[in-house]
Amino acid sequence: AKTWVKTQTANVIVMVNATVKNTEVVSLHSNLMNTLNQIAKGDWHVTDFSRNPDNSGLEKVNIRAQARLASNALKSLEVNAKKISRPGVTYKIADVLFQPSFKDVRQAKSSLRMQIYKQTKNELKRLSKVFPGINFRVYSINFMPYQAVPGPANRMMAFAKVGDAMTPVQNQLTQSAVISLKSAKKKS
């Protein structure tokens, strides 16, 4: 069975590079989520925060944050990052990854299993017509590992602009299964 895993969201990664006074580190940290939401509203997660003293007596702070954002929130990321940057504190869009979310993939896998169940049910009906004196039933279904068919690079360039909307990125996912049937003669 095959299906397309569609996504209209992207995982956006922001890098914050700052050289600030020791006393400003706390303020930078405490205001981080509000500042990231000025780039784009989302459920931001800090995935890396490092702080090191600089030879000049200042602190070098490097922060990596990410959020999954809807495609309509992506238009002004770079502009917004530049707007909130200031001398000593730079916000940069490090990456925009158009990869299906865990939820998108889980839904596609569920759809594939349903396709296989329906194909199995139809095959049982065909066998019953060809062999009317025999009862067929499913003995076991062993699903093989899912296989993703890679699409184009999952970056922002993979989106084609259509008016003000973005075309969703899709990846193909395949699922196969080995199905064992059991048969018995119908009782007369």
Side-chain angles (χ1 to χ4, degrees):
K2 290 182 183 180
T3 194
W4 288 92
V5 184
K6 299 175 185 176
T7 187
Q8 293 191 347
T9 62
N11 193 33
V12 176
I13 299 169
V14 173
M15 296 298 294
V16 182
N17 296 308
T19 305
V20 294
K21 293 178 187 174
N22 188 17
T23 56
E24 293 178 82
V25 174
V26 173
S27 173
L28 179 69
H29 187 264
S30 63
N31 295 324
L32 184 61
M33 291 304 159
N34 289 334
T35 308
L36 289 169
N37 276 310
Q38 290 176 32
I39 295 173
K41 299 244 183 275
D43 184 18
W44 289 96
H45 302 276
V46 175
T47 57
D48 187 42
F49 188 101
S50 64
R51 171 183 172 177
N52 297 305
D54 179 310
N55 289 339
S56 66
L58 298 173
E59 293 280 333
K60 289 200 72 75
V61 180
N62 295 300
I63 303 168
R64 182 179 191 265
Q66 65 183 44
R68 184 160 283 279
L69 303 174
S71 61
N72 61 359
L74 305 176
K75 293 178 191 172
S76 53
L77 291 176
E78 295 284 345
V79 171
N80 292 345
K82 285 181 184 178
K83 276 185 192 175
I84 62 172
S85 293
R86 57 185 167 85
V89 182
T90 305
Y91 292 82
K92 182 177 183 330
I93 306 305
D95 217 341
V96 179
L97 301 168
F98 285 99
Q99 297 168 330
S101 68
F102 177 74
K103 181 181 175 184
D104 295 333
V105 173
R106 191 177 67 221
Q107 287 174 340
K109 287 179 176 180
S110 177
S111 171
L112 287 171
R113 287 190 304 274
M114 288 305 294
Q115 286 179 41
I116 289 173
Y117 296 147
K118 286 178 184 176
Q119 289 171 354
T120 302
K121 184 178 176 182
N122 292 337
E123 188 61 28
L124 286 172
K125 286 180 185 176
R126 281 192 289 277
L127 284 170
S128 293
K129 287 180 183 175
V130 173
F131 302 101
I134 300 176
N135 282 330
F136 290 94
R137 64 182 179 97
V138 175
Y139 179 72
S140 68
I141 299 178
N142 296 313
F143 291 100
M144 301 296 121
Y146 293 94
Q147 294 180 351
V149 178
N154 291 323
R155 304 272 186 232
M156 194 162 194
M157 288 69 72
F159 262 45
K161 191 163 185 170
V162 180
D164 286 339
M166 300 293 254
T167 303
V169 170
Q170 303 177 28
N171 291 329
Q172 195 172 44
L173 189 65
T174 61
Q175 171 71 72
S176 59
V178 174
I179 301 167
S180 300
L181 304 176
K182 195 172 188 176
S183 64
K185 286 189 177 183
K186 288 184 179 176
K187 295 181 182 178
S188 305

